[in-house]
Amino acid sequence: MDKKLRQIMSNIFEIQEDGIIDKLSIETAENWDSLQHLNLILAIEEQFGISISEDKIIEMTSFVKIKRILRDKGIEI
Amino acid sequence: MVEQKKDIEFLVKQNKPLQACIKLGEFINFHSTLDNFMYAEKIYKQISKDLKLHKFKIAILRSITIEPMLPFIKVKCFENKIKPELYLGDYNIIDQEILNKNSSLYNFKPDVVIIFSRLEEICPRLVNSYLELSSEEVEMEVKNVLDKIENLVLTFRNYSNAKVILHNFELPEFPIFGIIDTQHERSQKRVFEKINTGLLEIVKKYEEVYLLDYEHLVSLYGKKNWFDEKLWFMAKAPISRVGLEALANEYVKYFRAMQGLTKKCIVLDLDNTLWGGILGEEGIEGIKIGHTSPGNAFMDFQRELLKLYHKGFILAINSKNNEENVMEVFDKHPDMVLRKEHFASIKINWSDKVQNMKDIGDELNIGMDTFVFLDDSPVERELIKQQLPEIHTVELPNNPHLYSKILKELPDFQMLSFTEEDMKRGKIYYEQVQRKKLEKSATSLEEFYTTLEMEAIIKRDDNFSIPRLAKMTQKTNQFNLTTIRYSESDISNFVASNGYCVYSLQLIDKFGDNGIVGEIIIKENGDAWEIDSFLLSCRVIGRTVETAFLSYIIEEGRKANIKSIISKYIPTRKNIVVKNLYKDHGFEFVKKNGEISVWKLDIEKFSIKCPDWIEVIEK
């Protein structure tokens, strides 16, 4: 169910989809800087048709955290 | 989606870059999300070296965060056959980069620089504390902004010849006096408009500085959709996802035009493209074109095509039909907007459209890479895409109500200037085809020339022709002896100077006015004249106009007590047609400087006879 999210992160961080694992985070991913974070947020909002609040944006710093936040917003992932 | 990506990557591995491009284009068209644009950018980078692309160095100076726009710009460049090299100025230091001639902006040596400044940053008082300013202070602010921008443009021009795209300013989303603002004597919106009018005055003064109508673009998409409050306050990135892509599109329209990628000819299918229904089955009364839906959508589409015709684009038909029935529609149907004389080339038959396309190219003497093809049939479109990928085949939607809109949105017909000459082109090409038909029916070449009833109007140092003459030096490749490119200011310097003469030749014949089609620039050198440039438009090659022109120049030289004419031929890949021009006109070979050959004609002894069939008129 997390396929779409994997695709987004794979496209943005230029990592193969099977490399998108739970512990992938802003610390471990080479390309994950503040500008790519902005792209990530724009892409997620676009893909799932949602708006993410500032505190959540700041929290979304790993694959597992992003999934949790999206689930909290009612997205099946 | 995963399958499509696998297909694309497979084609890349197979070393089939063109096919990969087509698939990538379809993929992005279908799944146009930001992350997919980033994916496409990665693929394009891998294959760009194997594609024939125009390199283009783009610098963007900005006062806000626009980084998320870059994937859109890059991918859209690649889609339009441009290989972008991007320089993004640091956040909000537009002035420093332009005013310091050692800045990394100038080190980058851009071909084009985009100056995207906003009133919020360049003049915050007009935005944030408008009511605290007196009317006089507002006036001062307006003057200061305009002076500041003019100074930036002027300084940039001093340090660089790159083209400039300057944004105008967005009018306030919520003007300060609300519903009464435009009427109020201190209207904020009208002050912003005044600044925008001032910008127009600035760009007029400089060559190759273009004003991007940002206000118009934003209102086209709606100010409410354009602005993203959250990203603005969090990341100083005020433009929404929708806006980023729209603005990238707009930039690429300029880049295309700057790279000379503007299309020239629109090739059209008939059934379900120019009218609804199938003529062969439903007959002239049955086809849908008229004042009710969907006939009115087709009428509107034809009206849009007619506008393009009047802007100088060439229309042509490539259709499987019976020509006789189609001509009846053009002649008799009361609701047709387009008529036969609007089409320079008509191919209506049952042969395949690829061959017809090639025939149209031959008949008009233009490359198929200048064609746009509009056809409702996905099968025909696929055929042309596969066989003639240089043609832009447009994905027409199933719904004819959208045809006009699709046409208006295409980037293919954007130009950076429209001269009177350009606007006549559609008609000129139609006449050209009529001439060719006459040529086929004439029994000898002399008879053909005579029946053309040609008149050449030659003018010397005519100020009104300067834009056209500059454009000719920039665009003419075939009949061009030296292929030296000149700007408008170069030509006007020649016109004003004593050491140079600029001659233009306008050709009129029984089919109409061809406009200015010939140009000779003479450089005076003691008792000799040097032909610096000699060029003819490709549409009049092979009609002995060059002989009449040279003959006239020699007479002019004699009047000025000139003893000889010196000329040069500089070969290029495209000007083989004039290789023997001077030899054929009796010039004597002088010497060779590398590839360049130098020729001389002693005009005290020799003349060139003007052909009987061309009447030269001096003005």
Side-chain angles (χ1 to χ4, degrees):
Chain A
M1 289 304 286
D2 55 11
K3 192 147 190 52
K4 278 183 179 171
L5 181 61
R6 276 176 195 279
Q7 274 167 1
I8 290 174
M9 296 180 73
S10 153
N11 285 338
I12 291 179
F13 301 131
E14 296 187 25
I15 298 172
Q16 290 297 321
E17 268 178 49
D18 50 24
I20 311 289
I21 46 173
D22 280 356
K23 63 180 177 188
L24 183 81
S25 74
I26 202 158
E27 282 86 30
T28 60
E30 201 180 319
N31 289 330
W32 195 336
D33 57 18
S34 61
L35 281 170
Q36 296 301 2
H37 195 63
L38 184 58
N39 286 333
L40 177 69
I41 301 304
L42 276 166
I44 290 174
E45 291 190 339
E46 178 183 25
Q47 179 68 61
F48 299 104
I50 52 170
S51 176
I52 306 163
S53 65
E54 179 167 7
D55 47 348
K56 298 287 184 239
I57 289 175
I58 295 166
E59 249 178 71
M60 288 172 117
T61 51
S62 72
F63 183 52
V64 71
K65 284 181 187 164
I66 294 171
K67 281 196 288 186
R68 199 183 63 227
I69 288 166
L70 291 181
R71 276 193 205 108
D72 289 348
K73 292 186 82 74
I75 291 161
E76 286 180 29
I77 201 162
Chain B
M1 196 158 89
V2 180
E3 284 307 310
Q4 275 173 297
K5 277 187 176 179
K6 274 186 188 154
D7 284 351
I8 293 165
E9 283 156 30
F10 181 72
L11 288 167
V12 173
K13 269 197 198 123
Q14 293 275 299
N15 212 6
K16 291 183 176 162
L18 271 176
Q19 280 90 333
C21 261
I22 292 172
K23 289 283 163 222
L24 196 54
E26 285 169 2
F27 172 69
I28 279 294
N29 218 344
F30 236 78
H31 310 280
S32 59
T33 58
L34 173 63
D35 58 297
N36 282 335
F37 270 90
M38 296 175 81
Y39 169 76
E41 181 191 336
K42 193 177 77 186
I43 300 288
Y44 273 122
K45 274 187 187 156
Q46 286 174 29
I47 58 177
S48 65
K49 63 178 187 308
D50 303 317
L51 298 164
K52 267 198 196 159
L53 302 173
H54 301 251
K55 282 189 188 159
F56 202 47
K57 296 176 89 171
I58 303 155
I60 307 177
L61 309 180
R62 45 56 190 267
S63 56
I64 51 169
T65 304
I66 54 157
E67 277 79 349
M69 180 167 54
L70 303 185
F72 295 114
I73 295 183
K74 288 183 196 159
V75 170
K76 283 165 199 290
C77 277
F78 282 121
E79 284 177 349
N80 285 284
K81 310 249 180 322
I82 294 166
K83 185 178 183 182
E85 194 181 326
L86 269 174
Y87 169 86
L88 184 63
D90 279 339
Y91 174 79
N92 203 9
I93 57 158
I94 298 176
D95 298 23
Q96 292 94 309
E97 297 215 63
I98 290 181
L99 300 178
N100 172 11
K101 76 173 174 203
N102 298 318
S103 69
S104 33
L105 167 68
Y106 296 111
N107 272 333
F108 173 68
K109 296 194 173 59
D111 295 309
V112 61
V113 61
I114 295 167
I115 304 175
F116 180 5
S117 76
R118 307 191 319 154
L119 284 178
E120 284 84 341
E121 286 84 35
I122 198 169
C123 188
R125 299 222 294 168
L126 282 180
V127 180
N128 298 329
S129 35
Y130 188 79
L131 292 179
E132 293 154 42
L133 304 174
S134 68
S135 296
E136 291 73 30
E137 284 170 318
V138 169
E139 285 298 310
M140 275 310 292
E141 292 289 337
V142 170
K143 189 175 176 300
N144 288 343
V145 174
L146 290 171
D147 286 349
K148 195 168 173 187
I149 290 175
E150 173 142 27
N151 185 37
L152 290 179
V153 174
L154 176 72
T155 310
F156 184 79
R157 244 313 145 264
N158 281 338
Y159 296 150
S160 167
N161 285 322
K163 297 170 175 65
V164 176
I165 299 172
L166 180 69
H167 276 231
N168 72 3
F169 299 114
E170 185 187 337
L171 302 182
E173 189 179 352
F174 297 102
I176 201 110
F177 294 108
I179 55 173
I180 200 77
D181 188 86
T182 28
Q183 280 172 272
H184 197 278
E185 59 178 0
R186 295 202 53 206
S187 163
Q188 186 188 28
K189 190 175 157 205
R190 277 192 287 124
V191 167
F192 284 26
E193 281 171 344
K194 194 172 166 189
I195 298 176
N196 282 347
T197 310
L199 291 177
L200 211 53
E201 294 304 315
I202 293 172
V203 298
K204 267 190 206 162
K205 291 189 226 167
Y206 300 89
E207 266 190 60
E208 300 204 289
V209 177
Y210 302 98
L211 190 63
L212 185 149
D213 196 348
Y214 185 67
E215 158 58 23
H216 172 78
L217 185 68
V218 175
S219 49
L220 187 65
Y221 286 82
K223 294 184 201 301
K224 284 184 127 182
N225 298 316
W226 196 272
F227 192 57
D228 189 321
E229 283 82 0
K230 182 178 66 192
L231 291 176
W232 166 238
F233 290 115
M234 280 187 69
K236 296 275 182 240
I239 306 179
S240 68
R241 162 67 184 80
V242 174
L244 293 170
E245 189 176 350
L247 185 54
N249 258 332
E250 203 69 4
Y251 288 155
V252 174
K253 286 182 190 170
Y254 281 91
F255 303 161
R256 276 185 62 108
M258 287 168 178
Q259 289 283 305
L261 296 169
T262 305
K263 300 288 183 184
K264 287 184 181 165
C265 178
I266 305 151
V267 184
L268 295 146
D269 171 53
L270 296 173
D271 290 336
N272 285 318
T273 302
L274 273 200
W275 53 70
I278 294 166
L279 179 63
E281 287 171 16
E282 291 156 69
I284 184 167
E285 291 86 13
I287 56 169
K288 292 172 197 72
I289 175 93
H291 296 275
T292 53
S293 180
N296 52 5
F298 288 101
M299 247 178 122
D300 192 56
F301 182 53
Q302 290 198 13
R303 253 182 245 119
E304 282 310 316
L305 289 163
L306 186 60
K307 283 181 201 165
L308 288 168
Y309 167 86
H310 284 304
K311 278 157 80 177
F313 296 97
I314 306 161
L315 303 182
I317 295 173
N318 183 351
S319 162
K320 289 182 175 157
N321 242 310
N322 285 323
E323 183 156 9
E324 212 178 305
N325 301 354
V326 173
M327 288 308 143
E328 194 192 353
V329 174
F330 278 121
D331 290 339
K332 296 193 181 145
H333 201 296
D335 295 324
M336 286 288 287
V337 177
L338 293 172
R339 298 291 171 182
K340 199 181 147 194
E341 64 269 23
H342 296 123
F343 297 93
S345 178
I346 297 179
K347 299 289 162 214
I348 301 170
N349 50 45
W350 300 95
S351 30
D352 81 282
K353 293 205 175 187
V354 174
Q355 188 53 47
N356 278 344
M357 219 50 118
K358 291 178 182 166
D359 292 344
I360 292 171
D362 288 344
E363 196 163 285
L364 299 173
N365 197 17
I366 53 176
M368 280 187 285
D369 56 352
T370 64
F371 285 12
V372 173
F373 179 49
L374 294 160
D375 192 321
D376 66 296
S377 156
V379 180
E380 300 289 4
R381 291 201 300 257
E382 191 59 30
L383 177 75
I384 298 295
K385 265 200 246 170
Q386 298 278 340
Q387 301 290 315
L388 303 168
E390 67 270 36
I391 294 178
H392 180 200
T393 298
V394 177
E395 288 303 313
L396 269 188
N398 289 328
N399 179 359
H401 293 148
L402 301 174
Y403 282 9
S404 279
K405 192 177 172 192
I406 293 278
L407 190 62
K408 284 185 270 195
E409 283 175 348
L410 288 179
D412 303 70
F413 308 118
Q414 299 290 340
M415 309 235 285
L416 295 171
S417 71
F418 280 99
T419 64
E420 288 293 316
E421 291 292 325
D422 292 326
M423 308 227 209
K424 282 191 225 153
R425 201 164 44 200
K427 187 162 166 276
I428 283 170
Y429 274 88
Y430 172 77
E431 292 160 358
Q432 181 75 353
V433 172
Q434 303 307 311
R435 271 179 210 107
K436 280 202 180 168
K437 285 185 184 154
L438 178 68
E439 185 175 357
K440 276 184 193 157
S441 69
T443 50
S444 72
L445 214 49
E446 280 77 15
E447 186 198 324
F448 166 62
Y449 292 144
T450 309
T451 50
L452 273 177
E453 298 163 19
M454 289 184 271
E455 283 175 14
I457 299 172
I458 299 180
K459 291 183 189 168
R460 177 178 162 165
D461 293 340
D462 175 33
N463 279 314
F464 295 104
S465 312
I466 290 170
R468 165 67 182 160
L469 293 173
K471 209 164 180 183
M472 269 186 84
T473 68
Q474 290 155 21
K475 294 226 161 146
T476 310
N477 296 317
Q478 296 179 65
F479 195 115
N480 193 340
L481 274 302
T482 51
T483 320
I484 309 171
R485 314 295 189 189
Y486 289 118
S487 69
E488 280 188 32
S489 61
D490 294 330
I491 299 286
S492 56
N493 287 340
F494 292 151
V495 167
S497 148
N498 281 327
Y500 286 88
C501 312
V502 180
Y503 290 94
S504 68
L505 184 147
Q506 176 188 1
L507 190 72
I508 299 171
D509 63 29
K510 76 180 231 182
F511 292 105
D513 184 354
N514 294 273
I516 293 176
V517 291
E519 174 174 2
I520 289 182
I521 301 173
I522 298 285
K523 188 181 175 195
E524 293 176 15
N525 187 358
D527 60 2
W529 272 7
E530 287 174 21
I531 300 181
D532 171 89
S533 295
F534 181 9
L535 36 119
L536 277 190
S537 161
C538 61
R539 36 178 213 261
V540 299
I541 295 180
R543 289 167 58 182
T544 70
V545 178
E546 62 278 19
T547 309
F549 206 176
L550 279 175
S551 161
Y552 179 84
I553 294 294
I554 288 164
E555 291 310 317
E556 284 278 291
R558 286 218 180 92
K559 279 186 214 159
N561 293 321
I562 294 303
K563 293 202 166 72
S564 61
I565 307 250
I566 315 280
S567 56
K568 268 187 296 193
Y569 168 63
I570 306 176
T572 67
R573 275 194 308 129
K574 290 187 171 167
N575 70 355
I576 314 269
V577 62
V578 290
K579 190 174 166 222
N580 293 320
L581 179 91
Y582 291 123
K583 190 176 158 204
D584 294 346
H585 284 85
F587 281 65
E588 188 188 331
F589 175 74
V590 180
K591 62 174 174 182
K592 253 195 157 176
N593 288 338
E595 288 285 285
I596 304 170
S597 55
V598 181
W599 302 79
K600 184 178 173 178
L601 187 73
D602 180 350
I603 63 169
E604 287 183 316
K605 289 187 197 148
F606 300 103
S607 301
I608 293 175
K609 188 179 175 303
C610 181
D612 294 334
W613 42 80
I614 299 180
E615 187 188 349
V616 174
I617 299 166
E618 204 174 328
K619 277 201 179 158

